[in-house]
Amino acid sequence: MIAMVSPRGQGIRQAVQLSRVLRHELVHIFNLEQTHFQVPHWYTEGLAVMNEGFPRPQQWKELRWSVSPPGS
């Protein structure tokens, strides 16, 4: 079961890419099932983000670079 806020839900400031969210959540389901929930949260989250099938927002890249500059 996947529970999520409707893309038109009250308080949603920007459009939700439903296909992106579904891919992300399905990766969690498959990964957790295959590992019997014996996987670190950071790993399954990274795997889910990596497999969304969309480029990362520029803001995410800038945040990552502020912590670990490219080439470091």
Side-chain angles (χ1 to χ4, degrees):
M1 172 190 293
I2 297 175
M4 55 188 266
V5 175
S6 166
R8 295 189 179 121
Q10 186 176 14
I12 303 297
R13 289 184 231 146
Q14 61 183 17
V16 174
Q17 294 177 333
L18 189 56
S19 62
R20 181 181 205 155
V21 172
L22 288 175
R23 282 181 192 225
H24 180 100
E25 297 306 327
L26 283 172
V27 169
H28 283 307
I29 291 169
F30 295 144
N31 182 248
L32 293 170
E33 177 67 26
Q34 290 173 344
T35 63
H36 305 285
F37 291 80
Q38 299 298 310
V39 63
H41 176 77
W42 62 265
Y43 185 84
T44 190
E45 190 60 37
L47 194 61
V49 169
M50 187 176 78
N51 285 284
E52 289 175 354
F54 293 87
R56 300 206 195 358
Q58 183 63 28
Q59 184 181 12
W60 290 14
K61 292 177 185 177
E62 291 169 3
L63 178 61
R64 187 189 75 210
W65 294 335
S66 72
V67 174
S68 177
S72 63

